[in-house]
Amino acid sequence: MFKNSSFVRVLLTALVGSVLIAAHGEARPGGVAGARQETTSTQLPVVGPPPVPLASPAQVPLPGPITELPAAESVEAEPSLPMIGHAAFDVDVSTIEPGPVDGSYVLAPGDVVNLRVWGQLQLTHELTVSADQYLEVPDVPGRVYIGDLPLSDVADRITRHLATSYATYFNLDSPAASSAFVDLALGKVRGVRFLVQGEVVKPGSYTLHPSLANLIYALAQAGGVKDGASLRNLRIRRGSRTIEIDFYEFLLRGSVDGNELQIRNGDIIFVPLTRKEVTIQGEVRRPGVYALHPTLEENLDTVLDLAGGVKPSANTQRLLVRRVELNTGPRTLSINLDAEAAANRRVPLLDQDVVTVLKSETRRRDFVSLQGNGVLVPGEYQYVEGMTINDLIGKAGGLRADAYLERVDLVRTGRDMRRSFLQLNLSLAAEGDPAHNVVMESLDELIVSTVIDVVGTSGEVTLTGHVKSPGVVPLSAGMRLYDLLFTRAGLQDRDFMRESYLPRADLLRLVSGSTRQELVTFDLGKLLEGDPEQNLALQAGDEVLVYSRTDILGTERFVTLSGFVKTKGRQPLLQGMRMLDLLRGPGGFEDPDRRRDAYLPRVEVSRLVRNGDLVERELLRFDLGAALSGDSTQNPLLESGDEVVTYAAADFAEMRTVEIDGAVNKPGTYDYASNMTLGDLLIRGGGVQEIADQKIAELFRVDLTSGDAVSVTSAPVDLSDRSMPLRSGDRLLVRRRAGYQPMRVVSVGGQVQYPGRYTLGGGAGRVADAIRLAGGLLEGAFLDGAALYRSAGDVSGGGTRIVLNFERALKEPDSSD
């Protein structure tokens, strides 16, 4: 049994997701246990044990009953079978929260323990384990060597150490009689550091929290074991000792103390290479690849036991072993496991053997069967030797009242699995006639039909359309329309019948002596009210068709919303719907903001009307405001196809503007507001520029008051009078200051002394002046290739080219060039 509760807790956490994966993806949890062997070896093995010599066929004699099969019967190993035990290390230790450390923990150098002495002696100390594994208690001479002591025993050793200086407080012979007592708790831990080597994915040095320091998590930290790793002789080197662990004993049988798998600070873990492995597959409880112990003699019985034993469905009289032998090649052996056990023989196994436990092919022969629509309880029944047909029917509780007794079928399956048929009369069998009350044999099947199955009915009628249970119905004698509809049409469901079209239903009937059908109509509503004239008698082959309101009246009953509404488009037309019902719902006119922004004097209903052979639209006009105030004359009933159109008040607002131009930052046209002032327009225009005349501007206004004539007047306005009201159409021109001329800048480039940009002023403004400002021409300047570009502001070839004679322009400064 496990003695280390901390280890059990963390081990269970690790194994929850690390069960052994059996064949076909079936998860099979592994048990846990382990055996150890201690040696006094002083040299750490860095490789596995010496190879075990492979046994030759002569060294591993086969018992007599084992026979070799032809190669055609060889059984290959399934490729998906797992290496047993390897999945136990597929654990992400970083996701596991460390737990408390129990008393079995062995202190390591660097660990800190909290010592508290209470009672008549009061002491509190924080003690650190030295590199030589001892503790020193302040004011108490000497050292407390703890060595390999578990934490639970350290407190007793400290108590004895304290008694050397405080003898009056401690009674070592009777601790309960002491006047002072010692409590010891683990403070800080440095972690358990260990080394992993051998057949692991990531060999190296690792550290674990003491509560997680066990062999499973240690190997998981190293990435798990490789495919070729053996779990049968894992080794832990601890000081001068080497501990060997058979992980199968731990994992599959649970026969090892959990403390055996605890690791300590400085441990070296070695995972050896597998020297011998076999595959067990087929009808066993835990199929997979098993490593065999390198020194123990393990045979077929041992490995089957590791695999959980064979299933009840296994054929133990014929197991197949596929074996490859040195210098011989593959062969397949057939083993009778029962015969081997009876002779007390053990079947040895070789490396890479594949054992296949076959499924038993034995068929059940201990039952008989009673089937058919005429049986109350069909199914299989136990076969009893000597039982008769009447015995079987009695076991089944008898037959249905409508069972057809004059002929039943008995299907008999022989030993060769061929089937034969017997026809029996159950009426004669009930009277004891041995020719019909036959003695049954195993696997017999008695099939009893009903009268309708054999003889049939008076015919059938069909019910279709808007009914709850459409389909083919057997016709009973005297059946009428109401009889058919009462149980299958849903007459008791008012909601369902509300959607039925009652004025008419149809009955399609075959014309006597032909394949044609005639149509007979009836009033479904009157039939339901009890009118006997509508309750027609049914005949074989009749088809009754019931319609829904949608079938007859259609479903495309809709109205359309458009204009100033919340939801535009088609809306279903409901019974009794008025215009405001539509506007308050999808139209959104329950919203006061929408009412405020709507154009209330008018709403339109566009309606389809028939004009002779033509269908036209008629426009109906209503007062939306009056309708919203409760005037029912302005709230019409809607008809299918109507279009309701509303308008926004903004649709009828005149687009009025004002304009600002000239020496302002953002000249342009802006929306006019009824209380707009000169200051508002200047703000819209971004304010006046520095070059603007700051006092007087020109205001242009359209005058519409002089009869039919339209005139434009202009008047100076004082820009400081920001409160002057404006009218729609006003245009404000802000002039530049008198005498202001913008600077004229030219760019001169090419073969001149000082290419660059120059400002023209003081009357200088000709081509010769610009070249003079640039320091004149350089020697070799080609004037015939010179060019003047205007408006682009550069000499890169942009803008409009001005054609002139540069040579004449320089020689004759007053010339047109």
Side-chain angles (χ1 to χ4, degrees), residues 248-267:
Y248 275 16
E249 291 296 319
F250 175 74
L251 191 65
L252 303 180
R253 295 193 175 99
S255 58
V256 168
D257 188 334
N259 289 326
E260 300 289 346
L261 298 189
Q262 287 284 8
I263 61 173
R264 298 182 185 178
N265 198 61
D267 279 357

Side-chain angles (χ1 to χ4, degrees), residues 344-406:
N344 197 24
R345 289 191 294 261
R346 299 292 179 263
V347 180
L349 293 177
L350 299 183
D351 184 32
Q352 302 301 318
D353 277 358
V354 178
V355 180
T356 302
V357 181
L358 301 176
K359 191 172 184 178
S360 174
E361 295 297 328
T362 305
R363 294 179 179 271
R364 286 181 56 211
R365 305 191 64 88
D366 61 346
F367 70 94
V368 290
S369 178
L370 183 61
Q371 303 293 339
N373 294 328
V375 179
L376 282 174
V377 186
E380 295 179 355
Y381 293 87
Q382 180 182 357
Y383 168 71
V384 178
E385 188 174 355
M387 68 185 303
T388 63
I389 293 292
N390 288 340
D391 296 334
L392 174 60
I393 294 175
K395 281 190 174 185
L399 303 176
R400 293 170 55 95
D402 58 347
Y404 189 75
L405 305 180
E406 280 70 22

Side-chain angles (χ1 to χ4, degrees), residues 433-665:
D433 187 339
H436 295 275
N437 186 27
V438 298
V439 175
M440 302 194 71
E441 297 180 4
S442 62
L443 302 184
D444 277 358
E445 180 181 8
L446 184 67
I447 303 174
V448 182
S449 304
T450 63
V451 173
I452 292 178
D453 292 337
V454 178
V455 179
T457 64
S458 302
E460 297 173 337
V461 292
T462 304
L463 181 61
T464 60
H466 182 68
V467 291
K468 280 200 168 183
S469 301
V472 177
V473 181
L475 177 63
S476 302
M479 179 182 285
R480 292 182 172 270
L481 276 174
Y482 191 83
D483 302 324
L484 174 66
L485 297 175
F486 181 78
T487 57
R488 306 179 70 90
L491 303 184
Q492 311 305 317
D493 188 339
R494 293 185 178 181
D495 292 334
F496 186 80
M497 292 304 298
R498 189 178 295 116
E499 297 301 319
S500 301
Y501 186 70
L502 299 180
R504 169 174 174 166
D506 292 340
L507 186 151
L508 302 178
R509 175 167 290 171
L510 288 171
V511 177
S512 179
S514 72
T515 58
R516 292 183 297 106
Q517 286 184 315
E518 62 176 342
L519 177 64
V520 180
T521 64
F522 62 93
D523 189 314
L524 179 59
K526 291 183 178 179
L527 173 64
L528 299 181
E529 293 172 358
D531 186 346
E533 294 184 0
Q534 306 298 321
N535 193 17
L536 305 175
L538 294 176
Q539 299 178 9
D542 282 352
E543 180 179 354
V544 178
L545 178 59
V546 178
Y547 301 99
S548 68
R549 291 172 54 84
T550 301
D551 294 336
I552 304 301
L553 302 178
T555 58
E556 292 296 320
R557 295 179 59 79
F558 64 89
V559 291
T560 304
L561 262 177
S562 59
F564 185 67
V565 292
K566 182 178 290 186
T567 305
K568 297 181 181 180
R570 286 189 174 189
Q571 300 293 333
L573 176 62
L574 306 178
Q575 187 72 25
M577 178 182 279
R578 291 184 175 271
M579 180 183 71
L580 280 188
D581 299 326
L582 188 65
L583 292 178
R584 283 174 172 155
F589 274 81
E590 286 294 321
D591 184 349
D593 292 338
R594 184 166 295 277
R595 291 194 187 191
R596 179 198 64 206
D597 297 337
Y599 184 69
L600 298 180
R602 182 180 177 109
V603 60
E604 299 170 357
V605 176
S606 176
R607 177 166 292 168
L608 293 171
V609 295
R610 182 172 292 279
N611 184 6
D613 293 335
L614 300 177
V615 176
E616 301 175 339
R617 280 203 171 271
E618 178 183 43
L619 190 62
L620 307 178
R621 307 168 186 85
F622 299 95
D623 187 320
L624 179 57
L628 291 171
S629 299
D631 187 348
S632 60
T633 63
Q634 302 300 311
N635 185 23
L637 278 169
L638 296 180
E639 298 180 5
S640 181
D642 282 355
E643 180 181 5
V644 179
V645 184
T646 62
Y647 298 94
D651 295 341
F652 299 89
E654 180 183 359
M655 298 297 295
R656 300 193 292 175
T657 61
V658 289
E659 184 180 356
I660 187 170
D661 202 359
V664 292
N665 291 314

Side-chain angles (χ1 to χ4, degrees), residues 37 39 43-50 195-197 215 219 230-238 241-247 263 267-273 275 293-295:
Q37 295 177 354
T39 69
Q43 182 178 1
L44 173 67
V46 293
V47 295
L195 180 67
V196 183
Q197 291 294 329
L215 183 61
L219 295 181
S230 173
L231 303 182
R232 304 303 304 275
N233 55 333
L234 301 175
R235 296 170 186 172
I236 300 177
R237 177 69 179 270
R238 182 172 299 154
R241 292 189 305 153
T242 298
I243 302 172
E244 185 172 298
I245 296 175
D246 183 352
F247 195 70
I263 61 173
D267 279 357
I268 300 175
I269 303 170
F270 181 77
V271 180
L273 184 69
R275 297 295 179 177
H293 200 282
T295 59

